[in-house]
Amino acid sequence: MIRRASSSPSPSSSPIQPPSKRLKLEPPLNYKNNVVLAPMVRSSTLPSRLLALRYGADLVWGPETVDKAIIGCERAVDPKTGVISYHREGRPIFTCHPVEKPYLIYQVGSANPELAAQAASKVAQDVSGIDLNCGCPKPFSTSGGMGAALLSTPDLLCDILKAIRAAVPPEVSVSVKIRLLPTEEETLALVRKIVETKAVRALTVHCRTRNMRMREAAMVEKLIPIVKLCRQLDPELAVQQNGDCVDRAAAMGVRKLTGCDSVMIATAAESNLSCFLDGPVVDAATELIPKYTRLAYYFDNSWGNSKHCLSQFKSPPSVAPPGAKKSAKKEFRATLASAKTYADLAEFIGGIEGGEEVLKEVEEALAAREQAKDALRLLGAVQAQGTETVGEQPPSLSATIPSAPALQFEPGVASLVSA
């Protein structure tokens, strides 16, 4: 259901603007030196993306959206929350928010250059990048020639990339996500073909083949020759690794091993969106679940989608506050399973209002991040001139993420989730 929404054919007619000019990144989008949120069906929707950004994700991918699904949508803006909804017959197909635009990549599923171009053009005003999904092995994607099926039709794959690049403004970047092919030779041949289109600024490689499943370890070392080839063909192209990375520290290890530019986190983020922090994850029960619920309720996010995401959240016992009771976790899971609305969770999280405050936290975290980047750029310029800096040093990016305000909970809630 779309509520409080008004039709908005163009950004200029929208009453909601990005909260700060500082949040506008200089084009083109920077894909390097990042740890990013992966595109995940059902799990990388709007509330999850914003919380991932709040906890330090450098970029965020939206879930794959099929070209035909988005083309016929109407764009509407909620004047209260700022949520931008692409909807059809009252059902949202894709939602986003101005605060995430500088960091947001829209992923399209397509097997047709013309349709892909139309889909990309449809959302280009609200995102900073368009990504073509060539890695999903699920039948709902491959049965239509999309996703991992495109690995077997490289000419079509490249035609789609070129069509997207031609369809969107130059400030909107284009990228592609693939999987490994059965042999190194086949993989490198595909990568070469993609790079030579000159259509993409980033290549993400899921280090599994199409037939491999999540229980099988990602073959991270297979990325090494891919990185070497990309460096030869286009040194400016960013190469991202995907598969089995669990946190920022692990991402640094992957980069050191493979030489890749950035790392994408999927499953670990699905479990706890604070995996992008430099340190331990936050406690799911006392912080992540309340924040997500309040933000999702404020945004009128689909209850079914929110329920799915909430059911995935967990955290290790080591981050639980003192006095946490394990019995509360079981009670919460039972309540969540039977819950029909957000209101059914109010008792466990101390109320479902407060989403606007959570959104403000996200905005403040992103503003602080951009201030730190400005300081680092200034320091670099000074050092390049051989000038000794005086005074305080610019803060590290991880230090700019503000601490969460104290939250109030009913007795026993501190142990709702731990695993």
Side-chain angles (χ1 to χ4, degrees):
M1 178 181 70
I2 307 298
R3 67 180 182 187
R4 300 185 300 273
S6 59
S7 295
S8 180
S10 67
S12 60
S13 63
S14 170
I16 302 298
Q17 298 297 327
S20 169
K21 291 183 179 180
R22 191 174 294 278
L23 296 183
K24 295 181 180 179
L25 300 181
E26 291 295 327
L29 194 63
N30 179 22
Y31 289 95
K32 296 190 175 183
N33 303 314
N34 294 331
V35 183
V36 306
L37 177 69
M40 293 177 284
V41 175
R42 301 180 70 188
S43 294
S44 61
T45 44
L46 178 57
S48 292
R49 295 196 305 268
L50 291 191
L51 286 178
L53 287 169
R54 182 258 180 267
Y55 289 119
D58 296 293
L59 298 174
V60 290
W61 264 246
E64 177 192 19
T65 305
V66 175
D67 50 18
K68 292 180 181 179
I70 200 73
I71 289 172
C73 286
E74 179 184 357
R75 181 182 184 270
V77 179
D78 187 320
K80 178 180 179 181
T81 65
V83 170
I84 300 166
S85 174
Y86 288 84
H87 61 95
R88 176 183 293 174
E89 298 177 353
R91 185 171 71 91
I93 303 299
F94 175 70
T95 58
C96 56
H97 195 280
V99 73
E100 65 173 338
K101 179 181 177 179
Y103 316 92
L104 175 60
I105 292 88
Y106 174 89
Q107 188 179 69
V108 62
S110 183
N112 182 291
E114 291 75 21
L115 294 179
Q118 291 180 49
S121 298
K122 185 77 176 182
V123 300
Q125 62 186 311
D126 295 313
V127 303
S128 289
I130 304 291
D131 185 73
L132 177 63
N133 182 348
C134 303
C136 180
K138 301 294 184 182
F140 76 83
S141 186
T142 58
S143 61
M146 301 179 293
L150 286 172
L151 300 175
S152 301
T153 55
D155 290 336
L156 175 60
L157 187 164
C158 291
D159 286 345
I160 295 173
L161 290 174
K162 288 184 284 189
I164 293 173
R165 178 64 279 168
V168 298
E171 65 270 18
V172 176
S173 298
V174 177
S175 60
V176 61
K177 187 171 185 285
I178 67 171
R179 283 186 174 236
L180 297 171
L181 290 172
T183 68
E184 180 178 309
E185 292 73 18
E186 291 174 293
T187 302
L188 293 180
L190 175 62
V191 169
R192 177 181 291 275
K193 199 172 187 68
I194 290 172
V195 177
E196 289 178 347
T197 66
K198 301 186 183 301
V200 299
R201 295 197 61 254
L203 167 71
T204 303
V205 182
H206 187 155
C207 294
R208 292 183 173 90
T209 64
R210 175 178 175 175
N211 294 327
M212 292 177 67
R213 293 298 177 257
M214 294 301 297
R215 63 179 178 275
E216 301 175 78
M219 300 182 290
V220 180
E221 71 284 354
K222 299 288 187 181
L223 189 63
I224 297 174
I226 298 174
V227 173
K228 290 181 178 178
L229 177 63
C230 290
R231 294 289 182 264
Q232 296 170 7
L233 297 175
D234 182 0
E236 297 302 314
L237 179 75
V239 181
Q240 299 188 138
Q241 185 272 345
N242 176 220
D244 290 351
C245 185
V246 297
D247 55 27
R248 187 169 287 272
M252 297 305 103
V254 170
R255 290 185 60 192
K256 183 176 181 180
L257 171 66
T258 66
C260 70
D261 299 289
S262 298
V263 177
M264 182 175 277
I265 300 181
T267 305
E270 193 172 40
S271 296
N272 195 309
L273 292 162
S274 67
C275 64
F276 298 98
L277 291 169
D278 280 331
V281 297
V282 303
D283 184 57
T286 56
E287 181 167 338
L288 184 57
I289 287 175
K291 285 183 187 298
Y292 180 95
T293 304
R294 291 166 184 160
L295 186 62
Y297 175 69
Y298 178 62
F299 283 162
D300 196 25
N301 193 58
S302 162
W303 166 244
N305 174 248
S306 295
K307 184 174 182 178
H308 166 77
C309 293
L310 288 166
S311 71
Q312 307 300 310
F313 294 154
K314 59 185 178 180
S315 55
S318 59
V319 300
K325 298 180 180 180
K326 294 183 178 180
S327 59
K329 172 187 172 182
K330 185 176 182 180
E331 183 181 354
F332 173 75
R333 292 299 186 194
T335 300
L336 180 62
S338 60
K340 303 298 183 183
T341 67
Y342 288 100
D344 294 331
L345 301 182
E347 178 181 352
F348 291 92
I349 66 171
I352 58 176
E353 300 291 341
E356 191 170 4
E357 286 72 29
V358 179
L359 177 59
K360 184 177 180 180
E361 267 190 55
V362 175
E363 294 173 347
E364 291 174 347
L366 294 176
R369 180 189 303 184
E370 294 308 311
Q371 289 173 350
K373 288 181 180 178
D374 286 348
L376 290 173
R377 281 191 287 267
L378 178 61
L379 176 61
V382 171
Q383 291 177 334
Q385 296 174 3
T387 304
E388 183 177 355
T389 58
V390 180
E392 293 185 355
Q393 296 297 311
S396 66
L397 294 184
S398 61
T400 65
I401 300 175
S403 300
L407 300 173
Q408 301 298 319
F409 303 95
E410 296 296 324
V413 71
S415 60
L416 293 184
V417 181
S418 61

